[in-house]
Every structure is written in C-alpha cells, then in structure tokens.
C-alpha cells in the first residue's frame, strides 16, 4: 500500500562522530511492498520512500531490520520507524491517521512473515509519476488568471495557497475541501463574501486584503475556523464595522483592518487576549472603546483616523429603574438565548444596540455614558501614530458606584470637566 505524508530521515550514527543529522522534512509517498516480478520464493519486503527529488525511491528492508516502531501519536498522523541497517530513524508526520494505522498493520504482518499479497495487501513497488508529484505539493502560488487550475484542480496536500490578483469574484468550492490547508492568501481580488463551507478549513493565516468586502465575513466567527485563526488581514476593503462577537477569534494574534471605512470598534475588542499586532490606520474612528486598554500589544497603528478632541464629559446619565424590556434583553443576552430578527422590533433593536459596562455587565437603558482622554502607551511596545499622546475613549457604566470606582482606579482626578 502507499501512504502520502511528510517524511524525515535522521541518522543515529552521526552524533557519535560529533556531526548533526542534515535530514530535512519533505512531502512524498511511503510504500510497503515487493519488487516487480518477485515470486513467492523471493518474498523480500521493502519500505520505499519517494519524493519530488527522489522519484525512483529509496528502499529499506523490513524483515529482521525494523528495530522499533513508535506508535504514541498515531491518532495525530505521526509515527517513527527505527531501522537497524542503515542506522536511521524514519519520522512520519501529517499523514491520514486511518491510512497510517492500515500501513502499520501491513508492516506488522510483514514483520511476522505474512507476505502473501492477499493476506497483507502488499503492493508492487514502483516510482511515483509526475501527477503524483503534483498532488504532493505543499505550496502553490497563482498570480495570473490563465494559471488557475480550472480543470486539473488543486493538489490535495496543499498547506499554503496564494491566489493573488486574479480578479476572482467567488471562492472556488474545491478550496474548503483542502483539509491540510493552513495559509490562504486571496489578496487583490474582487471577493464580496465567503461560502458557508469556508468555516470547515482549519486555517491559521487568512489574507483578504484588497477585495470588496463591505461586511465582515461572519463565517470567520464560526468553529472550527475561529478556534484556529491567528492571522487575519482585511486591509483595503470597504468595511464599515467589525462584528460585536469578534472576541470569538480567541487565538488571533495579528489583525489588520487598515484602509477601510470603520467608524467604530466593537466594545469587546479588548477581550482578544492573544492579540499582539493591530493595524486600524486610515479609517474614520472618532473614539476607542474603553476596554481597548485591556489589550497587551507588541505593535499598534492608529495613524490617519479622525479622533475627537472633545474634553472629558458625561454625554448621558440615565439611572432610573429598568423597564421590563431592558430586564428581558439582559436575560436573553446573559443566557445566550437564540432569537429571531423578526421578533418584536423594539426588543430586537435593544439587543442589537446593547453595551457593556467596564465591569462586564450588560448595559441597556440604565447607564452612564462618558468620554475621556487617556494615554495608551502602557499597553503597547511600539505605537505607530501621529503626534497624539492621548486618545479619546468611550465608556459605559451600569451604575454610579461602578463609575466612581473606575475613576478612582484609573485617574487621580475625576473624568468630567
């Protein structure tokens, strides 16, 4: 049988001569079988490694030559086969776990001497074909529309795919089926939306800059994609707002949304605890949400925005008894109860426009709304901005007590002038 995987050979004899093994990981095919024309008397079984650089393959005898098989991480598509002669270890990774188990079952049968093909599914060893080499590619870059693989499709082993400046309007339906894909660059196209199947891709890096997104792709907030994404670039689009649940991107480390039309940031952007680099330059932001200062960044770019120079002041103070509607809204939000957009219109509008207090409580109708200026240099190692030393922050408080506690904690003097 034949297994597609990443392979690396390490020589155990080199360290004894103070030399390091120069083995490099490469994608290819691993086969177990017999040479062409072998008879029942010639039952020598080999493991053969074939890669793009070694198409004819390198063979290792199986019988009495496999010292040990390390099986602790088979469920993750990893294993190591240790040979006696030559003294090398074959490290296997990024293999399909089911196919890897089948491969090791055949290997175990061969070690026991069970060599008939009908019994152990041994294959006839042969060199890999150009088509198989193409399918073992890990990286693919397409810069011209005429190079787009319309008929032959994408190699299923792709880890990195770049389709840049090809003017594609709709995402290829074959891309979500690339189960090894981690890096996807779709820059400088004319995409306006992503399909529902997109959330199935376990991407870590997604580049969508230079497209025509007017709305943030909500599918990015759906699992399992939102649980893996670490880099997101939506620069140079037409975004007017970011989603209120952007904190679903728990592992996000780099977020770039420069050169859009953003007029406000979500109030819970400060909950992105893994975020290290943030670029929101060249937008139309007048204010930052108060919990923005909860971030701990390596690099932040706030340049070329329209930050307000309004002095500290309370914009609105409404602390009367809550209405039945506001109590209902808080209950729906706190308990994450699903609701339909066709529900009672006023109730839906309250849910959509709800805020959160600095303490984390939901704020609906009873709140204090204020603006204050503060330095944010303490939360970032490198601040790329204009001459501003302080920035206007917008805050909501659920009670006078919460407001007083915040002002005493953050400043020595009151916020209001």
């Amino acid at each position: 049988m034949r297994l597609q995987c990443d392979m690396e050979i390490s020589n155990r004899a080199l360290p004894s001569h103070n030399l390091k093994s120069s083995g490099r990981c490469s994608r290819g095919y691993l086969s177990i079988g017999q040479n062409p024309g072998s008879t029942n008397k010639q039952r020598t079984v080999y493991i053969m490694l074939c890669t793009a650089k070694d198409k004819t393959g390198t063979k290792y005898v199986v019988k009495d030559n496999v010292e040990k098989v390390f099986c602790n991480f088979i469920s993750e598509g990893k294993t190591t086969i240790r040979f006696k002669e030559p003294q090398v270890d074959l490290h296997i990774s990024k293999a399909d776990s089911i196919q890897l188990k089948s491969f090791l079952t055949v290997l175990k049968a061969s070690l026991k001497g069970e060599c008939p093909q009908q019994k152990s599914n041994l294959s006839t060893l042969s060199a890999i074909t150009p088509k198989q080499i193409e399918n073992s590619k890990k990286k693919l870059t397409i810069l011209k529309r005429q190079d787009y693989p319309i008929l032959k499709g994408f190699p299923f082993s792709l880890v990195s795919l770049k389709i840049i400046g090809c003017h594609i309007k709709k995402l290829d339906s074959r891309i979500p089926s690339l189960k090894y894909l981690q890096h996807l660059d779709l820059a400088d196209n004319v995409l306006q939306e992503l399909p529902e199947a997109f959330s199935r891709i376990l991407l870590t890096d997604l580049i969508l800059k230079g497209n025509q997104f007017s709305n943030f792709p909500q599918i990015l907030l759906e699992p399992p994609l939102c649980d893996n994404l670490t880099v997101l670039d939506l620069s140079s689009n037409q975004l007017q707002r970011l989603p209120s649940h952007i904190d679903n991107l728990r592992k996000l480390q780099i977020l770039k949304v420069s050169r859009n039309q953003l007029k406000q940031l979500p109030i819970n952007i400060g909950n992105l605890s893994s975020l290290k680099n943030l670029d929101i330059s060249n937008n139309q932001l007048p204010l930052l949400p108060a919990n923005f200062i909860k971030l701990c960044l390596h690099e932040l770019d706030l340049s070329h925005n329209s930050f307000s120079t309004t002095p500290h002041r309370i914009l609105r103070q409404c602390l009367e008894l809550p209405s039945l509607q506001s109590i209902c809204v808080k209950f729906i939000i706190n308990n994450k109860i699903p609701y339909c957009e066709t529900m009672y219109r006023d109730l839906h509008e309250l849910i959509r426009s709800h805020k959160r207090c600095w303490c984390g409580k939901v704020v609906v109708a009873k709140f204090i709304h204020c603006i204050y200026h503060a330095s944010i240099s303490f939360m970032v190692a490198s601040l790329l901005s204009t001459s501003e030393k302080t920035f206007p922050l917008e805050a909501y408080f659920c009670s006078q007590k919460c407001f007083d506690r915040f002002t005493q904690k953050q400043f020595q003097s009151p916020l209001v002038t």
Side-chain angles (χ1 to χ4, degrees), residues 1-22:
M1 69 172 295
R2 181 170 281 172
L3 175 71
Q4 189 181 43
C5 58
D6 282 3
M7 298 173 287
E8 181 181 349
I9 294 291
S10 61
N11 194 319
R12 301 195 306 278
L14 291 181
S16 62
H17 300 285
N18 294 323
L19 296 173
K20 292 183 179 180
S21 175
S22 58

Short mmCIF file of all heavy atoms in Angstrom, two decimals, residues 1-22:
data_model
loop_
_atom_site.label_atom_id
_atom_site.label_comp_id
_atom_site.label_asym_id
_atom_site.label_seq_id
_atom_site.Cartn_x
_atom_site.Cartn_y
_atom_site.Cartn_z
N MET A 1 0.83 -1.18 0.00
CA MET A 1 0.00 0.00 0.00
C MET A 1 0.88 1.25 0.00
O MET A 1 2.07 1.19 0.27
CB MET A 1 -0.94 -0.02 1.20
CG MET A 1 -0.28 0.16 2.56
SD MET A 1 -1.49 0.35 3.88
CE MET A 1 -2.27 1.91 3.42
N ARG A 2 0.27 2.39 -0.30
CA ARG A 2 1.01 3.64 -0.43
C ARG A 2 0.38 4.70 0.46
O ARG A 2 -0.83 4.86 0.50
CB ARG A 2 1.02 4.07 -1.89
CG ARG A 2 1.77 5.35 -2.16
CD ARG A 2 1.93 5.57 -3.65
NE ARG A 2 3.01 4.75 -4.19
CZ ARG A 2 3.27 4.63 -5.49
NH1 ARG A 2 2.51 5.24 -6.36
NH2 ARG A 2 4.28 3.87 -5.91
N LEU A 3 1.25 5.45 1.17
CA LEU A 3 0.81 6.45 2.13
C LEU A 3 1.45 7.79 1.80
O LEU A 3 2.67 7.88 1.61
CB LEU A 3 1.22 6.02 3.55
CG LEU A 3 0.96 6.99 4.70
CD1 LEU A 3 -0.54 7.09 4.98
CD2 LEU A 3 1.71 6.54 5.96
N GLN A 4 0.62 8.84 1.70
CA GLN A 4 1.17 10.19 1.48
C GLN A 4 1.37 10.87 2.83
O GLN A 4 0.47 10.89 3.67
CB GLN A 4 0.23 11.02 0.62
CG GLN A 4 0.87 12.34 0.20
CD GLN A 4 -0.05 13.19 -0.63
OE1 GLN A 4 -1.23 13.29 -0.30
NE2 GLN A 4 0.45 13.79 -1.69
N CYS A 5 2.56 11.46 3.03
CA CYS A 5 2.88 12.04 4.34
C CYS A 5 4.13 12.91 4.23
O CYS A 5 4.77 12.98 3.18
CB CYS A 5 3.11 10.93 5.36
SG CYS A 5 4.43 9.78 4.89
N ASP A 6 4.47 13.57 5.33
CA ASP A 6 5.76 14.26 5.46
C ASP A 6 6.76 13.26 6.04
O ASP A 6 6.43 12.53 6.98
CB ASP A 6 5.64 15.46 6.38
CG ASP A 6 5.00 16.65 5.69
OD1 ASP A 6 4.60 16.50 4.52
OD2 ASP A 6 4.88 17.71 6.32
N MET A 7 7.96 13.25 5.48
CA MET A 7 8.97 12.28 5.91
C MET A 7 10.30 12.99 6.20
O MET A 7 10.66 13.94 5.53
CB MET A 7 9.19 11.22 4.83
CG MET A 7 7.96 10.39 4.51
SD MET A 7 8.22 9.29 3.10
CE MET A 7 8.22 10.46 1.74
N GLU A 8 10.97 12.48 7.23
CA GLU A 8 12.30 13.00 7.56
C GLU A 8 13.17 11.83 8.04
O GLU A 8 12.74 11.02 8.87
CB GLU A 8 12.21 14.06 8.65
CG GLU A 8 13.56 14.65 9.03
CD GLU A 8 13.45 15.69 10.13
OE1 GLU A 8 12.32 16.11 10.45
OE2 GLU A 8 14.52 16.07 10.68
N ILE A 9 14.38 11.75 7.48
CA ILE A 9 15.32 10.69 7.84
C ILE A 9 16.41 11.29 8.74
O ILE A 9 17.03 12.29 8.38
CB ILE A 9 15.97 10.06 6.60
CG1 ILE A 9 14.93 9.31 5.77
CG2 ILE A 9 17.09 9.11 6.99
CD1 ILE A 9 14.39 8.06 6.43
N SER A 10 16.60 10.71 9.93
CA SER A 10 17.71 11.14 10.80
C SER A 10 18.66 9.97 11.02
O SER A 10 18.22 8.85 11.31
CB SER A 10 17.15 11.65 12.13
OG SER A 10 16.45 10.63 12.82
N ASN A 11 19.94 10.24 10.87
CA ASN A 11 20.98 9.22 11.00
C ASN A 11 21.45 9.15 12.45
O ASN A 11 21.99 10.12 12.98
CB ASN A 11 22.15 9.54 10.07
CG ASN A 11 23.09 8.37 9.90
OD1 ASN A 11 23.40 7.67 10.86
ND2 ASN A 11 23.57 8.16 8.67
N ARG A 12 21.27 8.00 13.09
CA ARG A 12 21.63 7.86 14.50
C ARG A 12 23.13 7.74 14.71
O ARG A 12 23.63 7.91 15.82
CB ARG A 12 20.94 6.62 15.10
CG ARG A 12 19.43 6.64 15.02
CD ARG A 12 18.82 5.60 15.94
NE ARG A 12 19.31 4.26 15.73
CZ ARG A 12 18.89 3.42 14.78
NH1 ARG A 12 17.93 3.81 13.94
NH2 ARG A 12 19.39 2.22 14.68
N ALA A 13 23.89 7.45 13.64
CA ALA A 13 25.34 7.26 13.77
C ALA A 13 26.09 8.58 13.78
O ALA A 13 27.20 8.66 14.29
CB ALA A 13 25.85 6.38 12.63
N LEU A 14 25.48 9.64 13.26
CA LEU A 14 26.19 10.92 13.14
C LEU A 14 26.56 11.55 14.48
O LEU A 14 27.67 12.06 14.63
CB LEU A 14 25.36 11.89 12.31
CG LEU A 14 25.23 11.55 10.82
CD1 LEU A 14 24.39 12.60 10.11
CD2 LEU A 14 26.60 11.43 10.16
N PRO A 15 25.68 11.56 15.47
CA PRO A 15 26.06 12.19 16.76
C PRO A 15 27.29 11.58 17.40
O PRO A 15 28.03 12.27 18.11
CB PRO A 15 24.80 11.95 17.63
CG PRO A 15 23.68 11.85 16.65
CD PRO A 15 24.26 11.16 15.47
N SER A 16 27.55 10.29 17.18
CA SER A 16 28.74 9.65 17.76
C SER A 16 30.02 10.19 17.14
O SER A 16 31.11 10.03 17.68
CB SER A 16 28.67 8.13 17.59
OG SER A 16 28.65 7.79 16.21
N HIS A 17 29.89 10.83 15.95
CA HIS A 17 31.05 11.44 15.29
C HIS A 17 30.99 12.96 15.39
O HIS A 17 31.63 13.67 14.61
CB HIS A 17 31.09 11.03 13.81
CG HIS A 17 31.21 9.55 13.59
ND1 HIS A 17 32.39 8.86 13.78
CD2 HIS A 17 30.27 8.63 13.22
CE1 HIS A 17 32.19 7.57 13.52
NE2 HIS A 17 30.91 7.40 13.18
N ASN A 18 30.21 13.45 16.37
CA ASN A 18 30.05 14.89 16.60
C ASN A 18 29.51 15.62 15.36
O ASN A 18 29.89 16.75 15.05
CB ASN A 18 31.38 15.54 17.02
CG ASN A 18 31.83 15.04 18.38
OD1 ASN A 18 31.02 14.82 19.28
ND2 ASN A 18 33.14 14.86 18.54
N LEU A 19 28.63 14.95 14.65
CA LEU A 19 28.00 15.53 13.47
C LEU A 19 26.49 15.58 13.68
O LEU A 19 25.92 14.73 14.35
CB LEU A 19 28.32 14.70 12.22
CG LEU A 19 29.80 14.63 11.80
CD1 LEU A 19 29.97 13.64 10.65
CD2 LEU A 19 30.30 16.01 11.38
N LYS A 20 25.88 16.58 13.12
CA LYS A 20 24.44 16.71 13.20
C LYS A 20 23.79 16.11 11.97
O LYS A 20 24.28 16.25 10.85
CB LYS A 20 24.03 18.18 13.33
CG LYS A 20 24.42 18.82 14.65
CD LYS A 20 23.92 20.26 14.72
CE LYS A 20 24.30 20.89 16.05
NZ LYS A 20 23.80 22.31 16.12
N SER A 21 22.64 15.48 12.17
CA SER A 21 21.89 14.93 11.04
C SER A 21 21.33 16.07 10.21
O SER A 21 20.77 17.03 10.73
CB SER A 21 20.74 14.05 11.55
OG SER A 21 19.95 13.60 10.47
N SER A 22 21.53 15.99 8.89
CA SER A 22 21.07 17.06 7.99
C SER A 22 19.73 16.72 7.33
O SER A 22 19.39 17.27 6.29
CB SER A 22 22.12 17.32 6.91
OG SER A 22 22.37 16.12 6.17
#
